[in-house]
Amino acid sequence: MTGNDWTVGSVLEAAERWLAERGRGGARRRSDLCSCLAAVCGTDRLRVLMDHERPLGEAERASFRGMVRRLGEGEPLAYVLGRRSFHGRVFEVDPSVLIPRPETECLVEAALASLPEGSRVFEPGTGSGCIAVSLVLERPDLEVLASDLSPEALALARRNARTLGAPKDRLVFRRGDWWEAARGERFDALVSNPPYVDPRRPELCDPEVLAFEPAEALFASAGDPLAAVRTLLEGCGRGLNPGGLVFLELGIDTIEGARLLAEECGSLEEVRVLPDLGGRPRILRARRKGSSPDPGAPRTGDQDPSAL
C-alpha cells in the first residue's frame, strides 16, 4: 500500500494480524487496538468503528505502530494509553503505580456507604490516588491524608488530584511507610489496598501483571504475606479514634488470615468480610473499639505545612 491507501480499517486489520502472529490476538486485543487508534485520532472507539474509510496520516500511523508494539510485548492497555477509568473518572497511570481495578471500586463504595459525616480518613499506599480522590470528590464532607513510599507514585497521585479538581484543603499527600506517614495523627477511618499477593504464589497474577506492574505494590513480604496488613491493623489502636472504621482490600488467599488477625487485635471489633462484585471475599471491615471520637485529636488538615 502507498501512504494514501492506509485507512482506519486497513490499519486495524494489519495490526490484528501482526498481534495474532505473535500469539496476542483475540477479541480483547481488537478492542484494545480500537482504543489505541481512538486515542491517536483524538476520538472515541465508536467513531473508530464507524469511520473505517478514514485515511490515516504518517504521524498517526507512526504513533499507532508504537502502541501496537507495546501491546505485542504484553504491556497492559492502561499503561499504553496512560490512563484508566475508575469510579466514573479517568486517572492517569504509569508503571510506577498499580492499574486501578473494579475490585477497588468496591472498597471505595463500602467506605462511602459507612463513613460518618465529617470523617477524617487515612489512605496509605495511595498509588495513583484513585481511592483518595474518589472519596473526597464523592463526599464533600470528608478529609483524607493519602500517603505512599514511592515519590513517583505521589507525584502521579498529586497530578490526578489536580486534574480532577480534588480540593487541596481536604486532600493532603505525604510520603511515608504505612502509619509512619500519619505522624501521630488520629483518624476516623483507615482505607487501604495494601500489597497482598504471596510472592511464593506468583501464579495468582496474570503474566502481564507480573511483568509490568510494580512488584512493591503487588507482593507482600516473602516471610510474612500478611506483613502490611499486620502493620496496618496493629496501628489502629493508636491511629484511629474510638469507633473508627477499617476497610482493607485483600486477595482470596489472604483475606481469611487477615480476618483472624483483626479478630485477635485487641483494639478492633465487629470484624466482617465483604464480597466484591463477583461474590468473592474481598474487603475486610472492622471497627475500633469505643464509640466516640477523641475531641483533642489533631485533624488531618492541622499538620505542619512544611511537611506537605
Side-chain angles (χ1 to χ4, degrees):
M1 288 186 181
T2 66
N4 293 332
D5 293 328
W6 288 106
T7 64
V8 165
S10 61
V11 163
L12 279 175
E13 290 174 6
E16 277 192 272
R17 288 195 302 270
W18 190 84
L19 289 177
E21 290 169 358
R22 286 152 182 79
R24 298 192 180 276
R28 194 190 80 170
R29 281 308 180 198
R30 179 171 179 80
S31 175
D32 290 351
L33 289 171
C34 287
S35 295
C36 289
L37 197 51
V40 167
C41 296
T43 184
D44 55 42
R45 293 177 68 254
L46 178 59
R47 178 58 60 186
V48 165
L49 293 171
M50 294 174 60
D51 248 359
H52 266 216
E53 299 305 315
R54 176 191 184 281
L56 289 176
E58 174 53 34
E60 291 173 319
R61 297 201 310 277
S63 179
F64 183 60
R65 280 196 299 271
M67 289 181 162
V68 174
R69 288 193 191 97
R70 293 169 68 182
L71 291 177
E73 293 169 357
E75 188 170 354
L77 176 65
Y79 290 155
V80 175
L81 295 176
R83 63 176 185 267
R84 179 65 172 254
S85 294
F86 180 85
H87 209 263
R89 298 176 179 87
V90 177
F91 286 80
E92 179 186 349
V93 295
D94 65 27
S96 71
V97 300
L98 291 180
I99 297 170
R101 289 173 167 80
E103 292 84 359
T104 306
E105 294 188 13
C106 295
L107 175 70
V108 170
E109 285 296 326
L112 289 172
S114 300
L115 291 174
E117 184 174 356
S119 290
R120 303 184 298 278
V121 181
F122 180 43
E123 196 247 321
T126 194
S128 66
C130 63
I131 295 173
V133 171
S134 297
L135 289 175
V136 298
L137 291 180
E138 293 294 326
R139 288 274 302 271
D141 60 296
L142 299 180
E143 296 179 10
V144 179
L145 170 61
S147 68
D148 206 289
L149 197 56
S150 163
E152 294 81 10
L154 280 177
L156 181 63
R158 288 188 175 105
R159 288 200 302 275
N160 278 322
R162 184 167 57 249
T163 300
L164 293 169
K168 294 180 180 179
D169 61 331
R170 293 194 296 110
L171 176 55
V172 172
F173 292 100
R174 186 184 295 162
R175 188 181 181 194
D177 192 22
W178 307 123
W179 284 107
E180 292 177 10
R183 301 187 185 184
E185 295 182 48
R186 299 181 75 178
F187 302 86
D188 302 307
L190 167 69
V191 182
S192 183
N193 176 20
Y196 55 72
V197 179
D198 188 337
R200 297 167 296 189
R201 300 190 64 192
E203 72 277 4
L204 294 174
C205 291
D206 291 336
E208 68 179 27
V209 172
L210 293 175
F212 291 95
E213 299 199 44
E216 62 274 16
L218 280 171
F219 293 114
S221 165
D224 181 6
L226 291 170
V229 176
R230 191 186 307 276
T231 297
L232 290 173
L233 293 179
E234 289 177 349
C236 288
R238 63 181 181 275
L240 290 184
N241 288 318
L245 297 173
V246 176
F247 298 92
L248 301 180
E249 179 188 339
L250 298 162
I252 58 174
D253 62 320
T254 51
I255 195 159
E256 180 60 19
R259 182 186 67 79
L260 292 174
L261 282 178
E263 289 180 345
E264 294 168 359
C265 186
S267 64
L268 297 176
E269 61 184 2
E270 298 180 22
V271 179
R272 297 167 52 197
V273 173
L274 307 178
D276 61 19
L277 293 175
R280 297 173 293 261
R282 180 67 62 179
I283 298 164
L284 179 72
R285 184 189 191 278
R287 183 183 298 274
R288 167 81 158 82
K289 290 180 179 178
S291 58
S292 60
D294 178 358
R299 295 177 61 84
T300 300
D302 292 338
Q303 63 269 14
D304 180 358
S306 64
L308 303 184

